[in-house]
Amino acid sequence: MPGTVLLLAASPVGKSRLVDAASVLPVLAAVPPAVLAGTDTANVVELADPLEPQAVLTRLRAVAATPGPLTVFIAGQLALDRRQHLPHLALARTTPATVRYTALPWQWIREEFRLRSPGSTTLLVDLHADAEAWGWLRTHALDSGRNNAVFGRIAPPPSRRTVAVPAYMKTIATILRSGWRPPVEQLHQQAFGRLGPDAYGDIVLTVPPAPVAVPGGFAPRPPYRPERPRPQTPDRPKTPDRPQEDPHVQITAAVQAGRHQDADALALAHEQAAAHAHGVASEQALHWSEVRADLAMFARDSARSCRIWLTVAETRLTAGQSPDAPTVEKAVDRAHHQWGQVRDKTRAQELGALLAQLRARVPGRRPGALENVQKQLRELQATPF
């Protein structure tokens, strides 16, 4: 049965852009449609830097209604709206103040594919999160639908004044240009195996295909009706009925205003209070330690962020957590990523030695992580001050 492919690459124009999502489309377009879909024949729908969420919804609805296998490639930028704090795919006109009006709610993607037959839909995703979305991902999973196979990564915000590239998706396209598409799990593993150390801090998405698929690929359903189009104006500030008690909201506001020291001081106060009440190795205290590590990243202090992540990992291990526990691996992976951003040689050597010791105990899921640290340490030692 013929397959369908949707290529969606979207990111804001101007200074809000974190990733040049559309740069991957020429590479994907060079892959034969049948290879993109993993079927004998396929139809391809392409959306490059779309302007309107309703236009994207129309295409989503069209491909969701097609029979047969559906493969969706999404490269772009993840943001939260300021009112409901829900994830959105930023589009060309999106700014931090207009996410709710100009970006595509991620739930639309989930809802449009909700009643497709299990096993008939595959999403390959390469996203960069902005600072607020990255913080949200600390306690939330990006829900793409329980019937869909989802593979890919969500990367943290790139360095200031840097526009990232969708490296994972470009690697996927490069592999597929060979003319053969391996099983999607193998394709995903091959792509991550080719990414450099900058990807160690990424959130890896691996939701395998549903075990059962009904022939035809599409189940009739009532149409999903999102909210009506809303005027494209920023949210109006409203006075809350009572003071906001969630410290995460206060911290986010401080970061957005550039008051990084105030944000860290508030997080540190909560970390110390949690440690006093529950213990240094408690999840309550470690949560705030991880918040502070991300705050250091937002403040462009990679060395401090790396050191905090190393401390979190050591604390978890000392408390008896297994080296292959997801929380331990995440801490070491994030430390590895931040260490790669440290430009001061002395601090890089100091932190690298600590990271190498941890990597020997926590190698992580990607092969070659310890070897990567050791190689970079040798290069640092060989480089004159």
Side-chain angles (χ1 to χ4, degrees):
M1 179 176 291
T4 302
V5 175
L6 174 63
L7 307 179
L8 172 55
S11 56
V13 298
K15 62 181 182 180
S16 296
R17 172 171 289 193
L18 300 180
V19 58
D20 184 8
S23 65
V24 75
L25 289 178
V27 191
L28 285 170
V31 180
V35 178
L36 289 172
T39 56
D40 292 336
T41 60
N43 299 312
V44 177
V45 178
E46 180 178 310
L47 286 174
D49 282 330
L51 301 177
E52 303 289 345
Q54 292 293 329
V56 181
L57 177 62
T58 300
R59 297 297 182 91
L60 288 174
R61 187 164 291 163
V63 299
T66 58
L70 171 63
T71 306
V72 181
F73 296 81
I74 302 177
Q77 185 170 320
L78 201 64
L80 297 186
D81 71 282
R82 291 182 174 178
R83 179 170 297 180
Q84 295 180 299
H85 300 283
L86 295 176
H88 289 62
L89 181 68
L91 303 183
R93 295 176 178 172
T94 301
T95 66
T98 65
V99 170
R100 186 168 180 264
Y101 309 102
T102 61
L104 180 78
W106 195 263
Q107 70 179 24
W108 289 10
I109 298 174
R110 182 186 71 234
E111 290 296 328
E112 285 307 314
F113 300 149
R114 179 171 56 92
L115 293 183
R116 281 183 58 85
S117 297
S120 67
T121 307
T122 300
L123 278 66
L124 289 162
V125 178
D126 190 348
L127 299 173
H128 281 72
D130 66 14
E132 190 174 4
W134 188 250
W136 180 86
L137 288 164
R138 189 185 304 111
T139 54
H140 299 79
L142 187 65
D143 184 2
S144 302
R146 62 182 181 181
N147 291 333
N148 307 322
V150 184
F151 293 90
R153 61 99 178 239
I154 306 175
S159 301
R160 185 179 301 170
R161 299 185 182 89
T162 298
V163 177
V165 296
Y168 169 82
M169 195 66 75
K170 285 190 173 182
T171 306
I172 290 285
T174 301
I175 295 171
L176 293 178
R177 288 181 68 179
S178 66
W180 179 70
R181 171 175 157 166
V184 65
E185 299 96 330
Q186 183 180 340
L187 176 64
H188 170 76
Q189 292 172 358
Q190 289 181 11
F192 255 97
R194 298 186 185 186
L195 295 179
D198 285 349
Y200 281 120
D202 296 349
I203 296 172
V204 182
L205 306 175
T206 52
V207 180
V212 178
V214 177
F218 173 71
R221 60 186 172 91
Y224 167 68
R225 292 183 174 86
E227 298 178 53
R228 294 180 178 179
R230 297 160 291 198
Q232 295 185 10
T233 55
D235 289 341
R236 294 181 181 178
K238 68 176 184 178
T239 303
D241 296 333
R242 58 185 179 182
Q244 177 57 256
E245 298 178 354
D246 185 357
H248 298 86
V249 175
Q250 301 174 42
I251 290 171
T252 298
V255 171
Q256 291 175 340
R259 295 184 287 107
H260 297 287
Q261 290 184 345
D262 293 344
D264 183 69
L266 182 57
L268 177 60
H270 283 278
E271 179 187 24
Q272 292 173 340
H276 178 74
H278 306 284
V280 175
S282 66
E283 286 299 324
Q284 293 89 335
L286 289 173
H287 166 77
W288 287 108
S289 299
E290 293 179 352
V291 169
R292 293 187 60 229
D294 279 343
L295 290 175
M297 177 187 69
F298 298 147
R300 313 299 176 187
D301 191 343
S302 298
R304 182 161 60 93
S305 180
C306 175
R307 191 179 300 278
I308 295 174
W309 280 118
L310 290 172
T311 301
V312 169
E314 286 285 5
T315 302
R316 290 188 179 279
L317 289 169
T318 303
Q321 294 190 25
S322 171
D324 61 356
T327 51
V328 176
E329 290 184 339
K330 179 186 77 170
V332 180
D333 285 346
R334 299 282 174 84
H336 195 151
H337 174 79
Q338 289 301 308
W339 178 64
Q341 311 301 314
V342 177
R343 298 294 173 257
D344 181 87
K345 180 180 176 180
T346 301
R347 298 175 81 182
Q349 286 181 316
E350 174 197 354
L351 293 169
L354 298 174
L355 177 60
Q357 294 175 10
L358 260 182
R359 271 299 185 202
R361 301 163 62 192
V362 187
R365 302 301 172 93
R366 294 181 56 194
L370 175 59
E371 291 78 3
N372 174 268
V373 177
Q374 294 171 334
K375 177 183 176 182
Q376 292 192 56
L377 279 174
R378 290 193 296 268
E379 292 175 353
L380 283 170
Q381 293 168 355
T383 303
F385 284 90

